[in-house]
């Protein structure tokens, strides 16, 4: 990996998490190659270098609550889980989410909440209230958001769900090649910084690409 990944915590965590756990049997021999691999449902586990770069650019710390859109294999989720307080992750394919939940469970990772649905709409605005014993209204708000599939533009519900001083990292673009973008919210104003060109599968959904 090396290259421009200089954050020692990112390098350490990626050294600790066995990528082979997240890669289907047929691709085990390529688990440590620096490239994306198929994980089923026409989706991919991201290239390790891009996982490291996006994690570094998200500038997380131990106090962060992170929303991840596109659980996929759960590899990026696992990397984030070791660096932050809590990860909330959304995947549209139940089969991928369930498989990721099983792997993270096996690895003893317990600070992740999974949701199956359209992540372009953000985290659901209702959650179970254990005192009232019913679903209750919640205004979710995250310190960091990572989108791991290409978006035509950063979905509005996600801009609404991140805190002042927070960051969103996302591949943004209409064609096969996107720009990796870091958005920062300061004084209710969003600034954008471009990192590099990337290639991601599309985020399909209400605020993503049409299915
Ligand atoms: N970070 C993942 C990993 O480490 O395996 C790879 C993510 S893969 C490149 C993108 C994922 O986004 C796919 O699993 C895809 O099903 C999911 N996805 C696409 N549209 C989505 C949506 N609207 N909501 C949630 N997930 C979505």
């Amino acid at each position: 990996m090396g290259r421009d990944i200089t954050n020692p915590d990112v390098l350490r965590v990626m050294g600790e998490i066995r990528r082979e756990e997240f890669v289907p049997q047929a691709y085990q021999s390529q688990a440590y190659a620096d490239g994306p691999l198929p994980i089923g449902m026409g989706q991919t586990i991201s290239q390790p270098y891009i996982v490291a770069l996006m994690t570094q650019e998200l500038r997380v710390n131990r106090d962060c609550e992170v929303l991840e859109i596109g659980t996929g294999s759960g590899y990026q989720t696992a990397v984030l889980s070791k660096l932050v307080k809590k990860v909330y992750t959304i995947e549209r394919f139940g089969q991928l989410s369930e498989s990721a939940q099983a792997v993270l469970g096996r690895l003893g990772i317990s600070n992740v909440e999974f949701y199956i649905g359209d992540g372009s709409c953000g985290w659901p605005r209702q959650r179970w209230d254990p005192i009232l014993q019913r679903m209750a209204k919640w205004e979710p708000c995250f310190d960091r958001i990572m989108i791991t599939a290409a978006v035509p533009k950063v979905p509005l519900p996600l801009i609404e769900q991140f805190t002042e001083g927070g960051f969103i990292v996302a591949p943004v673009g209409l064609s096969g090649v996107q720009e990796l973008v870091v958005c920062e919210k300061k004084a209710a104003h969003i600034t954008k910084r471009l990192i590099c060109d990337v290639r991601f599968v599309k985020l399909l959904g209400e605020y993503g690409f049409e299915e």
Side-chain angles (χ1 to χ4, degrees):
M1 195 184 304
R3 295 196 257 182
D4 45 355
I5 308 302
T6 52
N7 182 318
D9 292 329
V10 174
L11 289 167
R12 175 181 51 78
V13 164
M14 289 195 60
E16 283 169 11
I17 296 176
R18 290 152 54 91
R19 191 169 180 251
E20 67 204 68
E21 301 275 356
F22 300 84
V23 168
Q25 202 57 41
Y27 299 99
Q28 284 291 311
S29 63
Q30 299 167 58
Y32 293 98
D34 190 21
L37 291 169
I39 53 171
M41 316 303 291
Q43 307 302 317
T44 52
I45 177 172
S46 304
Q47 177 189 357
Y49 168 67
I50 294 296
V51 171
L53 182 63
M54 289 177 76
T55 309
Q56 179 169 275
E57 290 296 342
L58 202 60
R59 295 189 227 171
V60 293
N61 60 58
R62 284 268 162 222
D63 297 326
C64 284
E65 297 211 309
V66 180
L67 174 63
E68 179 196 33
I69 311 298
T71 315
S73 69
Y75 177 64
Q76 173 76 76
T77 321
V79 169
L80 287 170
S81 76
K82 300 280 183 190
L83 296 166
V84 305
K85 185 159 93 185
K86 182 149 184 180
V87 184
Y88 296 78
T89 184
I90 307 180
E91 169 58 52
R92 66 189 285 266
F93 287 113
Q95 197 175 312
L96 293 180
S97 178
E98 280 156 21
S99 158
Q101 290 179 45
V103 179
L104 268 67
R106 255 198 334 264
L107 298 180
I109 295 172
S110 57
N111 61 338
V112 177
E113 222 172 284
F114 295 86
Y115 180 76
I116 298 166
D118 179 4
S120 77
C121 298
W123 193 260
R125 289 180 155 81
Q126 282 213 320
R127 71 174 172 190
W128 181 253
D129 185 318
I131 295 166
L132 298 175
Q133 287 290 302
R134 62 170 169 80
M135 297 300 280
K137 255 184 102 177
W138 181 45
E139 274 313 320
C141 208
F142 303 97
D143 305 301
R144 304 285 188 271
I145 298 179
M146 182 184 286
I147 308 176
T148 70
V151 284
K153 58 182 183 179
V154 177
L156 196 58
L158 299 182
I159 291 183
E160 287 168 355
Q161 287 191 351
F162 90 118
T163 51
E164 188 64 34
F167 297 98
I168 296 179
V169 174
V172 182
L174 290 173
S175 66
V177 179
Q178 305 90 34
E179 276 174 332
L180 190 62
V181 174
V182 180
C183 303
E184 185 176 4
K185 195 187 261 185
K186 259 193 190 157
H189 188 77
I190 310 289
T191 57
K192 288 186 185 157
R193 192 163 52 86
L194 307 183
I195 307 299
C196 62
D197 285 353
V198 286
R199 278 175 193 275
F200 272 84
V201 294
K202 287 179 178 173
L203 189 95
L204 303 176
E206 192 175 338
Y207 294 87
F209 288 95
E210 273 181 31
E211 298 191 31

